Amino acid sequence: MKQRADPSNNCADVGPVVPKHYVLEAGGIANVRTTVLSPKLRIHQRKDFGRWRDPVNGARPQQTVLYPRLKGPREFAQAESRGERPMYAYFDIEPSIKNYWEQRFIVEIHDEEGDAWAIPDCFAIGFDESSAWIEGKVDGRLVVASDGRTSIERGLTEKLTAKLSRIQSAFEEAGYTYVVFNESWAKHPIIAANVDMIVHAARDLVLDPFVPFALGQLLDRPDLTIGDCAMPFADRACPEEWVILAMAKGIVSIDLTAPIGRGSKVSRPGRPFWANDTRGL
């Protein structure tokens, strides 16, 4: 018996390049909000602002990771790969980032090269109220030599670079920001260890009003270090921990490029990385 068409599953607002199962799984086009950012670019989100896909589902060949978020609702970020987990951990403790959400938008572009679509890894907003769609990529590709030997070389494949550039150009022309985050930076052993230290402090300690007050009196000083900032907390069991906690709470910024110690540089938080062209590929 032929089934009647369900008008709620009409995908007319979503271009044919986008797999229709995403709309159907959302409950039909009535549950999809489409925003036209330019003639070349439109974005789609579920009206409940849910994820378009749940990568941690046991069906993927690569290792996926559930990461308990610090920012926003107390839920798990779903990382599509081991490379994404350090990226989300960094977003959680980066003091310039107010919040982030993964897998929330489908991007659809129509340009001179044709039609394309993608689901950026996440959308983030900064404390300066700027925002960006972010795609994380490891700065490396597998190369197979003529003799069959394999090696890893820096950079992305030509095909992937071309697609990411198309999306980035479409956002830029529309007046919005789309960046490719270098996951290799977040995976570096020193960066990752520092981030994990800050994450643990944020999970173990409870911020009290004295911490932002005391640090606020110091942050305009030049060449400030963790040792300097820890002095107001000298009567506590581990004074440095409170400075480290303050980074996760958006109060201070600590240099992550060297192992965190009493000599680590401390400053006021700056603008998010997407506003400064850092951490990208």
Side-chain angles (χ1 to χ4, degrees):
M1 180 178 177
K2 189 175 181 179
Q3 291 184 329
R4 296 179 59 187
D6 182 350
S8 68
N9 288 339
N10 178 9
C11 302
D13 287 348
V14 180
V17 69
V18 178
K20 293 300 178 286
H21 70 84
Y22 288 115
V23 176
L24 301 179
E25 290 167 3
I29 200 65
N31 295 322
V32 177
R33 178 177 292 109
T34 296
T35 304
V36 178
L37 300 182
S38 79
K40 294 183 179 180
L41 175 66
R42 62 176 59 187
I43 57 173
H44 313 288
Q45 66 187 87
R46 296 170 58 124
K47 287 186 177 178
D48 62 3
F49 204 50
R51 296 182 184 88
W52 280 111
R53 58 189 177 197
D54 293 300
V56 183
N57 55 20
R60 298 202 169 203
Q62 75 271 26
Q63 182 177 355
T64 55
V65 181
L66 284 173
Y67 172 75
R69 293 168 43 117
L70 292 175
K71 292 178 177 174
R74 295 304 186 194
E75 61 180 24
F76 287 91
Q78 296 196 23
E80 294 183 273
S81 65
R82 290 197 302 172
E84 281 188 7
R85 188 270 181 195
M87 178 179 73
Y88 290 139
Y90 168 67
F91 292 171
D92 256 338
I93 61 90
E94 168 52 47
S96 62
I97 296 178
K98 187 175 184 179
N99 210 342
Y100 67 94
W101 301 264
E102 349 87 65
Q103 311 278 339
R104 295 311 204 270
F105 290 91
I106 292 177
V107 172
E108 184 181 347
I109 62 173
H110 307 276
D111 60 13
E112 298 78 7
E113 298 183 49
D115 302 339
W117 72 282
I119 299 179
D121 286 328
C122 73
F123 174 76
I125 59 172
F127 278 101
D128 63 354
E129 300 306 323
S130 67
S131 61
W133 284 265
I134 302 169
E135 180 68 21
K137 294 296 179 187
V138 173
D139 184 18
R141 65 186 187 278
L142 180 67
V143 177
V144 182
S146 57
D147 61 1
R149 294 184 180 182
T150 60
S151 61
I152 301 294
E153 293 185 1
R154 292 193 63 182
L156 305 176
T157 65
E158 187 175 334
K159 182 178 179 181
L160 179 56
T161 299
K163 180 177 181 179
L164 294 173
S165 295
R166 286 177 64 192
I167 299 173
Q168 193 169 44
S169 295
F171 271 93
E172 187 174 317
E173 290 178 19
Y176 296 88
T177 301
Y178 174 93
V179 294
V180 181
F181 181 87
N182 185 357
E183 291 178 354
S184 298
W185 178 87
K187 287 177 63 179
H188 188 283
I190 292 176
I191 303 293
N194 287 338
V195 169
D196 283 346
M197 180 188 298
I198 298 169
V199 168
H200 285 306
R203 298 199 195 284
D204 293 342
L205 301 174
V206 177
L207 186 73
D208 61 84
F210 180 68
V211 175
F213 171 78
L215 293 175
Q217 311 302 306
L218 301 173
L219 284 175
D220 288 328
R221 297 183 184 179
D223 302 320
L224 202 60
T225 67
I226 285 184
D228 299 326
C229 294
M231 292 178 66
F233 315 112
D235 60 338
R236 303 188 183 191
C238 185
E240 294 80 9
E241 272 193 327
W242 297 95
V243 185
I244 293 170
L245 169 67
M247 178 158 174
K249 298 301 183 181
I251 300 166
V252 304
S253 180
I254 299 172
D255 176 28
L256 298 178
T257 60
I260 289 178
R262 288 184 58 83
S264 297
K265 298 296 183 183
V266 178
S267 61
R268 288 189 183 277
R271 299 195 68 197
F273 66 87
W274 57 78
N276 298 316
D277 289 329
T278 57
R279 316 279 185 258
L281 288 174

